[in-house]
Amino acid sequence: MPSPTTEPDSGRRVSLLTLGCARNEVDSEELAGRLAAGGWELTADPEDSDVVVVNTCGFVESAKKDSVDTLLAASDTGKKVVAVGCMAERYGHELAESLPEADAVLGFDHYADLSERLGDVVAGRSIAAHTPSDRRKLLPISPVHRPAAAETVEVPGHAQHGWGPRVLRTRLDDAPVAALKIASGCDRRCSFCAIPSFRGSFVSRQPDEIVAEAMWLAEQGVKELFLVSENSTSYGKDFGRDGASALERLLPRLAGIEGIDRVRVSYLQPAETRPQLVKAIATTPGVADYFDLSFQHSSERVLRRMRRFGSTDSFLALTEQIREYAPAAGIRTNVIVGFPGETEEDLAELERFLTGARLDAVGVFGYSDEDGTEAETFDGKLDPAVVAERVARISALVEELTSQRAEDRIGDLVEVLVEQVGEDGDDPIGRAAHQAPEVDGECVVLDAPESLAAGDLIRCEVVDSAGVDLIVRPVPDADR
């Protein structure tokens, strides 16, 4: 971890608030590393800081609202407030004009000199708000021509260039799990998604760089690595001839790092999920048999309008392939309901898939227009009341099916990573291999030994379930 180049000066205290996904969490820890290297003192409480940096999310309307609310709350502290992250990158000067409470709105291109820009803010110097552009145009169209060009383009989470053996990252918590970015950007053109326009084209991080950061995280006490990107199945596509199996080769390297108990892969595209990748995730020791698959829908007609590929039958075949290797594998997804032109027959097809797939967790979202996307121009928009009714219908089905899936695990043995040790008599909380952080439920550990600590990995028997959560009990050493 980089050490500050100077002792923090008066007026150089900063706090970071992060909204959105795990990718944003990695970006915040990279920014923290940059600021620490620039002589800033990191504080957890905005009230104790001189500048509050809000790493915003700009994915959907609810996330944008949360970002604005957080910026306003930060302003209420009386401290200087700076907006960074996806919403700041996506809207730039428009956000600055509508939110004068923010002292600066900075895009990704400001990250390299963020320390200096915060110095300007503290000194009262005005900074021109970021001007948004399509970041896909910053890199060559051909993926294999991108690695060299990426060194001159600011790609959040790819800040190691020029830093030698040091990892440009500072942990903002002491959790035993940490997100590790393996790539940024996306080359897909899903009609409902704006992410590629402000996150840019797909760029993989070099394997040695990823392994070095993973080793550093292990030294910080991390036990589980949560691999994140916009599309992990594309990892290595920009490496040329040897890129096709890059992720399969990376996984055992990460799992073999001393101190790392579990590696988890996220953000897989079903149409790009190769049989050899399925096998690698399901069978590599130390890699969680967990599949975060972005199905979005299963009606072939709706998927085509989404500019995606697949069908109910092909998706069911993929889930069966996974369970041939690992019958207890965890599979989760998100689905969009009420997409323009969606019919009752399309919805029934989605229900057929969900019923047959036996997924562990499903996020259900109602369609809404996103600025600048192709779907925003589509005809066949459904009445919001119809969308809401369909969301409720699919959500009820999902709740029933995922609860049944959790019940099916009663009697199984699971490896639980303890994340929270109970206080005042509360039972410890952890996660099994099929449960990702925050989104897939948790394990409540009964009759835990007093010596149990956060970061411990213990074998347990599932004795009950509550929705998607599992109630587990440690297995005595003699029975392991």
Side-chain angles (χ1 to χ4, degrees), residues 173-304:
D173 60 40
D174 58 358
V177 58
L180 176 59
K181 188 173 288 191
I182 63 171
S184 287
C186 186
D187 287 342
R188 299 183 69 89
R189 296 295 182 266
C190 300
S191 61
F192 57 84
C193 183
I195 289 176
S197 65
F198 57 86
R199 276 288 182 178
S201 299
F202 185 88
V203 181
S204 303
R205 292 182 69 190
Q206 290 297 321
D208 289 347
E209 183 180 305
I210 296 171
V211 171
E213 186 168 331
M215 293 174 66
W216 177 83
L217 288 168
E219 292 171 357
Q220 311 306 306
V222 170
K223 301 297 183 182
E224 178 178 315
L225 300 174
F226 185 33
L227 308 187
V228 299
S229 71
E230 274 75 25
N231 178 6
S232 296
T233 38
S234 283
Y235 179 73
K237 66 182 286 186
D238 42 348
F239 291 165
R241 184 177 300 175
D242 296 329
S245 59
L247 185 53
E248 292 94 301
R249 296 196 303 273
L250 177 64
L251 291 176
R253 293 184 64 186
L254 295 173
I257 293 173
E258 184 177 356
I260 297 299
D261 291 326
R262 190 155 67 196
V263 177
R264 183 182 305 278
V265 184
S266 65
Y267 303 105
L268 302 172
Q269 290 290 343
E272 298 178 27
T273 302
R274 309 172 298 278
Q276 60 267 33
L277 179 57
V278 171
K279 182 178 180 180
I281 293 174
T283 64
T284 301
V287 175
D289 48 358
Y290 172 82
F291 294 81
D292 174 14
L293 291 158
S294 176
F295 289 115
Q296 302 298 350
H297 211 284
S298 74
S299 164
E300 192 168 2
R301 196 183 70 85
V302 173
L303 287 167
R304 294 299 176 272

Side-chain angles (χ1 to χ4, degrees), residues 386-455:
V386 174
V387 175
E389 185 277 327
R390 293 184 179 184
V391 168
R393 171 175 157 186
I394 296 300
S395 296
L397 175 63
V398 161
E399 183 176 359
E400 177 184 358
L401 294 172
T402 54
S403 295
Q404 290 174 0
R405 178 65 174 158
E407 289 175 7
D408 290 342
R409 294 186 182 275
I410 296 175
D412 289 356
L413 294 179
V414 293
E415 300 285 343
V416 176
L417 178 67
V418 178
E419 294 186 318
Q420 178 182 331
V421 177
E423 298 180 358
D424 299 325
D426 292 338
D427 294 310
I429 302 296
R431 290 179 297 104
H434 71 281
Q435 296 169 319
E438 299 182 3
V439 294
D440 294 339
E442 59 191 20
C443 292
V444 179
V445 185
L446 304 180
D447 302 326
E450 292 184 4
S451 60
L452 196 66

Side-chain angles (χ1 to χ4, degrees), residues 151-174:
E151 295 188 25
T152 64
V153 174
E154 189 63 37
V155 181
H158 295 236
Q160 307 309 321
H161 299 300
W163 285 79
R166 294 190 297 171
V167 173
L168 187 57
R169 180 172 180 173
T170 294
R171 295 224 65 200
L172 295 174
D173 60 40
D174 58 358

